[in-house]
Amino acid sequence: MTDLFAHRVAVLATMHRKEQAIAPRLEARLGVTVAVPPSFDTDGFGTFTGEIKRPADQLTTARLKAEAALESTGETLAIASEGSFGPHPQLPFVACDREIVLLIDRQHQLEIVGECLSADTNYRQQVVGSWAEAEAFAAAVGFPSHGLIVRADDAVIAKGITTAEELETAVARAMQQSTRSTARLETDMRALYNPTRMGAIAQATEHLLQAIAQTCPACGTPGFSEVKRWPGLPCGLCGTPTLLTRLVRHQCQRCQFHQDLPAPESPSVADPGHCPRCNP
Ligand SMILES: [Zn+2]
Ligand SMILES: [Zn+2]
């Protein structure tokens, strides 16, 4: 399966040193050479600090980045990565980082996605009114190995802050400029300022490699991956269909062969706790 990609150049659309997490893995396992186009400006696709809004959802944004890298280099294989931060979908008070790493192969008409949903993130913001509060926030989010952003109200005073001196200067300036004499502190989520996020990008890259390794049983094309799920796993006590996944469809991108199988992570029947009849 690596034959499809071996000895090819994979352009990586990034300017935040994500190649540190992505390139060694792809080069070792796919036999590609990862190249970052010089002066590729991904900030045009949206920034975490909000100066530029994202044009679309996470996957679409990654696609746009990959396509721009293909256009600017004339290559046929591209990688793009995109992160988003917010409340965990199942645990409302836990912050989480959802990372995707996308591979687009124009030569073979393939698009394969790797994903990582991680609650291991320092993503956080706080408004502070004193240097002591700022120091406490910084200590809690892993500063200085993790960078910070300081704002006066909405205006960015400094970002990519990684020393106590820079932080002190920025906080003092923000408190001076702010109409409320406060500074707003945020974790800088750009990969090069956030080793924890870099780790999540590495995990998403591993997942991408797993997805590539799943080949179509009919034609051998990589990326034989999940396209759809059906609920209805029967209750273990009374057999009533529950909302848990009953079947997962995997489909080939080239020959349209598909397979409907039980979800690998699901038991064969649902716990009665999930049953609308046993536990309404
Ligand atoms: Zn196939
Ligand atoms: Zn039941």
Side-chain angles (χ1 to χ4, degrees):
M1 68 96 185
T2 50
D3 296 359
L4 287 190
F5 307 117
H7 311 301
R8 294 172 66 191
V9 171
V11 285
L12 174 58
T14 181
M15 56 176 220
H16 295 145
R17 290 192 217 140
K18 290 177 185 168
E19 67 271 19
Q20 288 173 4
I22 296 171
R25 290 175 171 81
L26 296 189
E27 290 184 341
R29 309 253 289 278
L30 300 180
V32 296
T33 302
V34 174
V36 178
S39 71
F40 187 75
D41 183 6
T42 53
D43 277 355
F45 300 99
T47 59
F48 289 122
T49 36
E51 291 101 334
I52 302 169
K53 289 268 172 273
R54 264 208 194 110
D57 66 88
Q58 203 175 353
L59 183 58
T60 308
T61 305
R63 252 181 221 137
L64 291 171
K65 281 185 186 175
E67 276 158 16
L70 290 172
E71 298 307 327
S72 75
T73 59
E75 296 290 346
T76 55
L77 186 61
I79 310 290
S81 124
E82 189 71 17
S84 98
F85 305 90
H88 194 285
Q90 275 98 44
L91 312 162
F93 298 105
V94 175
C96 89
D97 172 8
R98 179 176 185 248
E99 295 292 338
I100 61 168
V101 178
L102 169 74
L103 174 144
I104 288 183
D105 181 355
R106 277 201 180 152
Q107 191 180 322
H108 300 101
Q109 309 290 313
L110 292 174
E111 179 185 290
I112 306 174
V113 183
E115 203 179 323
C116 166
L117 184 69
S118 173
D120 182 15
T121 174
N122 68 341
Y123 176 70
R124 217 170 124 182
Q125 307 85 25
Q126 192 182 322
V127 173
V128 300
S130 70
W131 171 241
E133 279 181 308
E135 261 186 319
F137 175 87
V141 297
F143 179 82
S145 68
H146 291 68
L148 291 178
I149 296 170
V150 172
R151 295 180 198 255
D153 306 322
D154 284 333
V156 174
I157 298 292
K159 51 186 180 175
I161 301 171
T162 54
T163 68
E165 295 75 32
E166 287 174 284
L167 182 61
E168 209 169 348
T169 310
V171 168
R173 242 181 61 214
M175 287 171 64
Q176 232 166 39
Q177 282 186 31
S178 153
T179 52
R180 288 162 240 138
S181 304
T182 55
R184 184 181 161 85
L185 269 59
E186 296 168 19
T187 48
D188 195 329
M189 302 314 292
R190 290 176 293 165
L192 71 165
Y193 293 107
N194 202 303
T196 302
R197 179 170 178 226
M198 201 67 104
I201 295 171
Q203 284 180 51
T205 307
E206 290 294 335
H207 184 247
L208 171 67
L209 286 164
Q210 286 166 25
I212 290 170
Q214 288 184 314
T215 52
C216 170
C219 76
T221 299
F224 188 68
S225 45
E226 179 177 328
V227 291
K228 199 174 169 186
R229 300 191 150 218
W230 286 275
L233 191 69
C235 167
L237 212 58
C238 73
T240 301
T242 67
L243 290 173
L244 299 188
T245 302
R246 183 173 60 92
L247 282 177
V248 178
R249 170 165 294 181
H250 286 67
Q251 187 164 315
C252 177
Q253 295 183 30
R254 183 178 291 167
C255 76
Q256 301 308 308
F257 177 82
H258 61 81
Q259 240 173 7
D260 298 336
L261 294 169
E265 75 278 7
S266 290
S268 56
V269 290
D271 185 286
H274 293 286
C275 177
R277 185 188 279 176
C278 299
N279 187 22

